[in-house]
Amino acid sequence: MNIRPPGATPLNGTASAMARPGRIAALLIGMRYLRSVVFLCRSLIALLAGGLMFLAFPTFNVWVAAPLSTAALALVLTGTGPRRGLVLGLIAGSSFFLPSLHWSGIYVGPVPWVALSLLEALFLGLAGALYGWLSRAGAVRPVAFALVWVVVEGLRSRTPYGGFPWLKLAFSQADSPFGRLVAIGGTPFVAFIVALTGALVGRCVQHVLLAHRGTAVGRHTARTRAVVALGAVAGLSVSGYAVALPLDGPTARLLGVQGNVPQPGLDFNAERRAVLDNHVEATLRAQRDVASGRTPRPDLVVWPENASDIDPLRNADARSLIDGTVAALGVPLIVGGLLEEPEDRLSNVSLLFEPGRGNTARYVKQHPVPFAEYIPNRDFWRTFSKQVDLVRRDIVAGDTTGIFTTAAAGGSQIRAGLAICFEVAYDALMRDAVEQGANVLVVQTNNATFGFTAESAQQLAISRIRAMEFGRAVVHISTVGQSALIKPDGTATQTTALFTQQVIQGDLPLREQLTLAARLGDLPEWSAVLTLAALVAWSSRPLSRQRRAIELETRLSRARPGENNAQHARASGRFRTSHE
């Protein structure tokens, strides 16, 4: 009989039993601390990923930063699950959109800028939540990541209030091999390839890390997969060079007038007559060069958006100035202006004036900018800010595609497809013009309200992508810059400086052939939606008994790394037995 005196040391088994709760509590605290440290590290990487994406866009134009950013995001989101994925996506989105959209608050204060940026960041948060869930097993899934990116980017391009596709991933790739792929499948295809490339880099990094642990066979497999992923990255990175971007076609001479404004800011049109006079003066100066033989005669002259904010169809003085300019030119003139119609509202328009005929055609902007050109749900938003009433009269939306048809001196027909300002960022609007016969694109814009910021350069990059996407030359003309003539291969020529008065002119090809992107339309984007839906459905299926057992073993090994592996085997064996 074993009798233990009072105060004696407990037997080993009893001591172990008494100490075990303390060890478990310490282990749980340590695990919570470790998870917090890991999430903090992930948050910092997400912050860095958003900053890298910012560098990919003008005015930095470091296009390689885009795939590097998506690589970091794919790595940091993998295995997080939906909740942590949402938070990490928001962090990355905020560090990307806040600096990239800083121009939106340059004259109206921080509230619109921060609100717009955080709204856009929410979409990246949604992408993080969805991909975090899809990759919850812990392995980088490149195709899933790329599909999520394309689908969420398409969603933010459509909602709310018609969406805001500015800063789509493809718009950062005007100078890269990836950008040329836009002629194959449009901006969604470019986004897919860039995101896929980045995620493959992340997969490669993951395999490299795995190659330093595990069995010899496991290390060899990880190294092999890393090499395969790296090869895929190399192939995708140069794939754009295989895409031809033709420049052929009959040519027409086009001239764009950047008339400038008296001062930058929201009050640029306070001196509307001065803005109109600037464009008349610069145009007549260009015509004198033509008359003297210093420059060739243009076939078509283009003024930018808001060149005549005095309604030229109702104001006799403005109409006289424009008619006199057209008579002096002897060629058609496209004027960007505002019309005092319909009643109590305005129309943002492009007007075609022809010699001896006056105004012969008009295009009404189809996608006015919410909270800038009109206030949706005005009464509701007024409860948050009285500044909504700074937009006193809403601009109405047009409902027809803009095509102006004129003749060129060489016998060719110019069919100019029109886009006003932010419309250039909307895939469907630009594609509609090409599908309806446009052989050259005209983008009229006014960047006076954004000062000396990156907004104008970002918009010019979008026009360059559109040129490659549809195989069309683009006349990108702004009131204050940047303006440029863009070839069908995306090359911008005669790029102007901000807030200067300049004229750009040159011979541009009039191309009829449709690119594959134009023929496919939105099929690539909807294909991504359907594929992602199928992937989500597949990932949502009930786990098999064997997979549940494997996952249980994995959880046990992670939660109790110091215990004997035999205990894990017994636990998983009991699990299997109970389900057989």
Side-chain angles (χ1 to χ4, degrees):
M1 183 174 178
N2 243 338
I3 300 177
R4 185 166 50 89
T9 303
L11 296 176
N12 289 341
T14 307
S16 177
M18 293 177 63
R20 190 172 297 152
R23 290 208 309 271
I24 293 175
L27 179 62
L28 290 174
I29 292 172
M31 288 176 64
R32 289 194 191 99
Y33 176 75
L34 181 60
R35 281 198 295 266
S36 299
V37 171
V38 170
F39 186 73
L40 177 61
C41 292
R42 286 180 184 267
S43 300
L44 292 174
I45 296 172
L47 197 68
L48 175 64
L52 274 174
M53 188 64 73
F54 166 59
L55 295 179
F57 286 82
T59 55
F60 293 98
N61 288 312
V62 185
W63 63 263
V64 74
L68 291 178
S69 172
T70 55
L73 274 175
L75 268 174
V76 81
L77 291 171
T78 294
T80 58
R83 285 182 297 179
R84 287 188 174 88
L86 173 66
V87 175
L88 292 170
L90 278 170
I91 291 171
S94 298
S95 65
F96 167 46
F97 286 110
L98 279 168
S100 299
L101 296 175
H102 178 254
W103 47 262
S104 62
I106 195 72
Y107 292 116
V108 295
V111 173
W113 159 49
V114 173
L116 176 61
S117 300
L118 294 183
L119 173 63
E120 298 304 296
L122 277 173
F123 287 97
L124 203 48
L126 174 62
L130 182 53
Y131 176 71
W133 177 77
L134 286 171
S135 64
R136 61 195 183 279
V140 175
R141 302 181 66 180
V143 173
F145 179 82
L147 287 172
V148 168
W149 190 283
V150 171
V151 171
V152 172
E153 195 170 71
L155 183 64
R156 79 172 179 89
S157 299
R158 292 173 170 82
T159 190
Y161 303 120
F164 188 66
W166 205 266
L167 299 174
K168 291 177 72 173
L169 191 54
F171 298 153
S172 68
Q173 300 298 301
D175 292 308
S176 85
F178 292 116
R180 301 170 67 93
L181 296 170
V182 76
I184 302 297
T187 59
F189 184 61
V190 174
F192 179 82
I193 296 299
V194 173
L196 179 64
T197 303
L200 282 168
V201 171
R203 184 69 177 264
C204 180
V205 170
Q206 193 176 56
H207 284 313
V208 168
L209 294 175
L210 289 173
H212 292 287
R213 57 191 184 197
T215 65
V217 174
R219 291 196 299 271
H220 175 74
T221 301
R223 283 193 292 268
T224 301
R225 290 176 176 175
V227 170
V228 171
L230 190 60
V233 168
L236 290 172
S237 298
V238 299
S239 60
Y241 291 120
V243 179
L245 300 174
L247 297 171
D248 59 314
T251 61
R253 190 165 187 85
L254 288 97
L255 184 148
V257 180
Q258 178 179 303
N260 206 5
V261 299
Q263 60 183 3
L266 296 178
D267 295 329
F268 76 93
N269 63 351
E271 301 179 63
R272 295 178 296 169
R273 177 55 189 267
V275 176
L276 176 58
D277 287 343
N278 284 353
H279 285 84
V280 170
E281 174 191 338
T283 305
L284 294 179
R285 189 186 313 118
Q287 172 57 27
R288 289 193 291 271
D289 289 338
V290 172
S292 66
R294 288 192 293 270
T295 58
R297 177 189 177 93
D299 296 305
L300 176 65
V301 177
V302 183
W303 284 1
E305 178 188 25
N306 300 125
S308 180
D309 276 359
I310 303 172
D311 186 338
L313 303 187
R314 290 169 175 78
N315 185 284
D317 189 31
R319 180 63 178 263
S320 176
L321 282 172
I322 292 171
D323 284 343
T325 303
V326 173
L329 289 169
V331 298
L333 168 67
I334 298 176
V335 175
L338 281 181
L339 299 184
E340 303 276 341
E341 60 179 65
E343 187 177 358
D344 297 327
R345 289 180 288 174
L346 300 169
S347 296
N348 190 349
V349 299
S350 298
L351 301 172
L352 178 65
F353 289 86
E354 298 187 78
R357 300 179 61 194
N359 175 225
T360 58
R362 76 169 64 177
Y363 165 67
V364 180
K365 186 176 184 179
Q366 298 176 76
H367 201 295
V369 180
F371 302 101
E373 294 181 310
Y374 77 101
I375 304 298
N377 311 116
R378 185 183 290 265
D379 291 339
F380 172 77
W381 291 112
R382 189 184 288 115
T383 62
F384 296 94
S385 174
K386 301 297 183 184
Q387 289 195 343
V388 298
D389 291 323
L390 289 175
V391 180
R392 293 186 293 275
R393 287 193 289 174
D394 289 340
I395 289 178
V396 299
D399 57 5
T400 57
T401 301
I403 304 285
F404 288 170
T405 302
T406 63
S412 301
Q413 193 176 63
I414 301 172
R415 294 190 298 278
L418 303 167
I420 299 177
C421 201
F422 282 18
E423 287 187 324
V424 69
Y426 291 86
D427 295 348
L429 291 180
M430 301 302 293
R431 185 169 57 245
D432 287 347
V434 174
E435 288 177 346
Q436 294 188 30
N439 55 14
V440 65
L441 297 174
V442 172
V443 177
Q444 297 167 282
T445 184
N446 172 28
N447 309 101
T449 54
F450 305 113
F452 291 88
T453 67
E455 187 271 345
S456 183
Q458 290 172 1
Q459 189 175 40
L460 181 59
I462 299 174
S463 285
R464 294 179 60 198
I465 287 291
R466 296 303 184 201
M468 290 186 277
E469 181 177 8
F470 300 116
R472 298 292 186 268
V474 179
V475 180
H476 183 99
I477 188 69
S478 168
T479 49
V480 300
Q482 293 178 304
S483 303
L485 299 180
I486 305 171
K487 299 178 181 179
D489 64 356
T491 303
T493 64
Q494 302 180 46
T495 304
T496 64
L498 287 171
F499 294 97
T500 58
Q501 187 177 94
Q502 293 183 251
V503 169
I504 55 176
Q505 57 186 312
D507 295 323
L508 296 176
L510 306 174
R511 304 196 71 254
E512 307 287 342
Q513 294 83 358
L514 293 178
T515 61
L516 182 58
R519 295 177 187 276
L520 291 176
D522 56 6
L523 180 61
E525 194 168 31
W526 284 110
S527 297
V529 171
L530 294 176
T531 306
L532 181 60
L535 186 61
V536 168
W538 176 260
S539 299
S540 302
R541 74 193 191 283
L543 295 177
S544 67
R545 292 174 181 174
Q546 184 178 4
R547 287 181 64 211
R548 288 199 299 267
I550 292 172
E551 287 198 1
L552 177 63
E553 289 180 20
T554 303
R555 288 197 298 269
L556 286 170
S557 63
R558 288 175 178 172
R560 302 167 68 182
E563 296 290 330
N564 192 294
N565 289 335
Q567 295 178 1
H568 302 169
R570 287 196 297 272
S572 59
R574 288 194 299 272
F575 182 90
R576 290 193 182 99
T577 302
S578 67
H579 287 81
E580 289 175 354

